[in-house]
Amino acid sequence: MNTKPTAQLLQESKLLRTLPHNALQQLIARAQTRALARDQFFLRQGSPAVAVYLLIDGHAKVTQVTPDGHQVLFRIIGPGQEFGLLAVLSDLVYPLSVQTLDHATALLWHGEVLAQFMERYPALAFNALRILAEHNQELQQQYQALLTEKVQQRVAQVLVRLTEQVGRPVNTGILIDLPLSREELAEMAGTTLYSVSRTLSDWEDRGWVESGRERVVVRSVDALQRIAWPLPE
Amino acid sequence: MNTKPTAQLLQESKLLRTLPHNALQQLIARAQTRALARDQFFLRQGSPAVAVYLLIDGHAKVTQVTPDGHQVLFRIIGPGQEFGLLAVLSDLVYPLSVQTLDHATALLWHGEVLAQFMERYPALAFNALRILAEHNQELQQQYQALLTEKVQQRVAQVLVRLTEQVGRPVNTGILIDLPLSREELAEMAGTTLYSVSRTLSDWEDRGWVESGRERVVVRSVDALQRIAWPLPE
DNA sequence: CGATGAATTGACCGATGTCAAGTGGCGTGG
DNA sequence: CCACGCCACTTGACATCGGTCAATTCATCG
């Protein structure tokens, strides 16, 4: 599935880039590996945050459920991306769950191990800070979007982001190369599966997308972009 | 205004706690001070992130405006709280603005200075990580709230949080000791000034709050809490 | 080929945003 | 010191987006 050699993937990851070679080697030596089938959990919301993960193959979704059962899908993780970062801090609990979307493999370290490396190699700590700061900004944008934008805009944004992150060119357009249900798309866009379904049907009529069971092909990214980020005035 | 001596405030701040004494002394020695009148900006969304701030007196609001003019108020900063943290990373731009709500004073450091201290004192980096992780969780909660809860719930939550953060007991209840307009409350709750106004009028009829021009007194925190976080089933 | 779960579509309605008009209090200037 | 005007706030009327529920269709897999 994954074409890149693992070592290169790690070197280019947001978390481990800029680390000295020997540090990277030591880290790799101390990593555990965990491979999971589809729909399995790497970590669960509410359980003690003991390990930091770095996905090296496959995809996973980051979700959170409210006390009343509503589910939110914050982002999708692909190879080279990390999660569970806050395990470097002690005595915390994961605020969200990470569940595989296909067969996926991750490296993991005990939080304390990574904390020790951060003390020795500040670059690692700065990388972590940068990652958290980016997450913050993305969350702020999503909050804004939920507050000010209409459902169609948000769905369009989700689809455009997905084409960028997991898009694969096929003859009729760009396939979103993950099995995402309407429900999951809805959880990403902050709406209901019904609204997603209607929206996709509409766009299918216009020839902008083709959609099927847990499958979407975007035929015109342009059109979706115009919906997602309409020109000012 | 502020009763605590500054040194103690810094020692207890989330950012600087657990620092060795001498490090704290050095940091204080290198800090600049900035005092602003009401409605002035410590920093502006979009300008280069050069300094990290720590408020030592007064209050400020953290806001963000969308391209289309909508404004969001993410949180209110009081003495001992930091902002502009991401200035420790180079070449970034502030994603939001921080504006005073009353006469306020902050210490500030050039981002690079703080970055150097983080390299020397990892505890500082961990404090920063913890702070960012907390912000993340708060944002996630706010997102959830916007998605699943009704306006009244969210307004109640805002008021309860405000009583905790800036509440001052008065004879009829707890005064929110800051001049916050309906508009600003709306920006905090993710709604419009009209809905806030209606909600407060309603609660005033029920005797749960007293409200006036840029002024709210909560008479029954209990009642608001029942609205904010209704008992499951 | 049948069963299971995903997706579609229609009907309904309620919460809340928008717009417009009016009220009231506070500060400023005459 | 009073009056005027501004600005925060209130209240009503209205429209609409999109969530909810129910019924149906569709596709995929065993």
Side-chain angles (χ1 to χ4, degrees), chain A residues 46-98:
Chain A
S47 60
V50 290
V52 176
Y53 294 74
L54 206 162
L55 201 70
I56 55 176
D57 194 25
H59 296 85
K61 60 179 181 180
V62 176
T63 60
Q64 191 172 46
V65 290
T66 52
D68 64 320
H70 257 268
Q71 183 153 151
V72 177
L73 203 170
F74 281 115
R75 60 200 172 95
I76 284 183
I77 291 175
Q81 294 185 280
E82 68 302 311
F83 54 95
L85 246 190
L86 89 175
V88 300
L89 307 167
S90 35
D91 298 323
L92 294 179
V93 150
Y94 292 120
L96 24 75
S97 298
V98 178

Side-chain angles (χ1 to χ4, degrees), chain B residues 5-26:
Chain B
T6 301
Q8 192 187 343
L9 194 70
L10 299 187
Q11 245 174 30
E12 293 173 359
S13 72
K14 280 187 180 164
L15 183 59
L16 302 182
R17 72 167 60 138
T18 74
L19 269 195
H21 289 304
N22 59 335
L24 191 58
Q25 295 308 326
Q26 290 174 49

Side-chain angles (χ1 to χ4, degrees), chain A residues 159-206:
Chain A
L159 288 184
V160 172
R161 286 206 312 261
L162 284 173
T163 59
E164 289 164 359
Q165 205 188 344
V166 296
R168 182 159 62 85
V170 293
N171 44 10
T172 60
I174 297 175
L175 169 69
I176 288 169
D177 201 9
L178 276 181
L180 291 173
S181 65
R182 299 288 180 270
E183 176 86 48
E184 285 168 315
L185 291 175
E187 289 167 2
M188 292 186 80
T191 178
T192 62
L193 81 102
Y194 306 103
S195 291
V196 170
S197 180
R198 285 181 222 281
T199 305
L200 287 182
S201 297
D202 182 13
W203 292 345
E204 187 138 32
D205 292 346
R206 298 168 193 252

Side-chain angles (χ1 to χ4, degrees), chain B residues 58 79 89 97 154-155 171 229:
Chain B
L89 306 167
S97 299
R154 304 202 305 267
V155 173
N171 43 11
W229 298 283

